[in-house]
Amino acid sequence: QDDLVESGGGSVQAGGSLRLSCAAHGVLFSLNNMGWYRQVPGQQRDLVAWVTNDGRPNYADSVKGRFTISRVNAGNSAYLYLEMDNLKPEDTAVYYCNTRPVWRDSWGQGTQVTVSS
């Protein structure tokens, strides 16, 4: 059964750092590009960064130079990471992982990131 579990969020001050983790169990995730998305209440879920199956990273302009995405594939699972540095208040959101593009509209519980000024 496919499963997405995000962790690592927290509350930090502007300029601080956090490292998010995602355990994505299922061949759907191990074979596809994976991404980190974030959502603020009342707004759409936006793609922040994605990494190809062979490890090539890509970033939204808003996080380029501050965030680093990486992944490790293990069997039918993918482990996704997001190192977030120099955090800004506008990075406050719930962060989720999923394939990129989203092949199945089923999401984990997400992990909350709160950045105070």
Side-chain angles (χ1 to χ4, degrees):
Q1 182 175 349
D2 293 345
D3 188 36
L4 291 164
V5 180
E6 301 92 349
S7 62
S11 296
V12 298
Q13 291 191 327
S17 299
L18 285 172
R19 186 173 190 254
L20 306 185
S21 299
C22 162
H25 301 296
V27 66
L28 173 68
F29 308 116
S30 62
L31 294 180
N32 282 287
N33 301 338
M34 291 291 294
W36 280 101
Y37 300 78
R38 65 186 181 189
Q39 187 172 29
V40 175
Q43 298 185 19
Q44 68 179 19
R45 190 177 280 135
D46 292 327
L47 180 66
V48 172
W50 67 99
V51 58
T52 62
N53 191 36
D54 60 356
R56 286 174 289 147
N58 299 272
Y59 303 96
D61 287 343
S62 60
V63 305
K64 199 171 293 183
R66 301 188 298 120
F67 289 12
T68 303
I69 189 171
S70 61
R71 71 182 288 168
V72 174
N73 293 330
N76 288 336
S77 298
Y79 298 90
L80 195 67
Y81 305 96
L82 188 68
E83 181 72 37
M84 305 187 295
D85 298 316
N86 191 22
L87 282 161
K88 302 177 180 181
E90 51 264 41
D91 295 319
T92 295
V94 179
Y95 285 70
Y96 302 88
C97 59
N98 210 327
T99 59
R100 194 271 175 180
V102 177
W103 291 113
R104 194 177 68 144
D105 193 15
S106 177
W107 299 82
Q109 82 288 350
T111 187
Q112 175 72 47
V113 171
T114 303
V115 185
S116 57
S117 57

